[in-house]
Amino acid sequence: MTLRSRYIPELVYALAFSSISVHLLLKRRAAETERRHYSARISILGELAARLRGAGEVVSDAEVARLRRLAENVAEDTHRELGESIGWREVIFGRKESSVEREGKEVLERRELERVRDELHRADNNTQKS
């Protein structure tokens, strides 16, 4: 009997470490997702502000409203509801992305790729002019 009870504390410690590590992983992923959402919002609104400040470029009210709605909806689309329960299968194997989340990531990646292409193009034009 003492042989079995001797390993109980180690079992409890192992369960506690596993639980804490899964919890921290989920928190890290949630923080990364939130950071991406805020980055996307800042990017959308920053581009809009630059266009509005730009000399001679006319931006319609409909375009401004559309971009503002887009910036507001970026963060709302993929957040989980607070009361939603998470099953063991989801904890072990991870959550499958919904089509909305997948599309949102694709849009963000395309926008980032376009921004990088534009910056490279501008840098290339600046070096050719010099």
Side-chain angles (χ1 to χ4, degrees):
M1 195 65 151
T2 60
L3 186 62
R4 289 184 186 169
S5 63
R6 189 172 80 182
Y7 295 109
I8 290 177
E10 284 82 4
L11 180 63
V12 170
Y13 295 147
L15 288 173
F17 286 138
S18 299
S19 175
I20 290 170
S21 64
V22 168
H23 174 73
L24 291 176
L25 179 65
L26 291 175
K27 287 294 186 183
R28 185 180 308 141
R29 285 184 181 169
E32 181 181 330
T33 302
E34 199 167 321
R35 196 175 314 118
R36 286 182 182 164
H37 289 226
Y38 286 124
S39 174
R41 291 179 79 177
I42 290 169
S43 173
I44 292 168
L45 295 174
E47 289 175 18
L48 177 61
R51 287 177 62 189
L52 290 173
R53 286 186 195 126
E57 186 174 354
V58 177
V59 181
S60 69
D61 290 339
E63 179 74 10
V64 171
R66 184 185 70 80
L67 289 173
R68 287 186 67 187
R69 273 195 314 273
L70 180 63
E72 290 171 1
N73 292 336
V74 166
E76 295 173 2
D77 287 343
T78 58
H79 284 299
R80 284 181 167 265
E81 302 226 0
L82 294 176
E84 188 176 347
S85 64
I86 300 173
W88 281 107
R89 184 176 185 166
E90 193 173 341
V91 169
I92 293 171
F93 298 113
R95 183 171 56 97
K96 292 184 180 178
E97 289 182 337
S98 69
S99 61
V100 172
E101 288 174 328
R102 199 172 312 114
E103 290 173 10
K105 282 184 180 179
E106 288 174 2
V107 167
L108 292 176
E109 288 173 359
R110 266 189 258 121
R111 193 174 298 133
E112 181 68 20
L113 181 62
E114 289 172 4
R115 188 177 63 82
V116 169
R117 282 183 189 160
D118 290 341
E119 289 178 9
L120 287 174
H121 183 66
R122 282 187 215 131
D124 188 37
N125 286 340
N126 288 340
T127 56
Q128 289 177 356
K129 289 178 183 177
S130 298

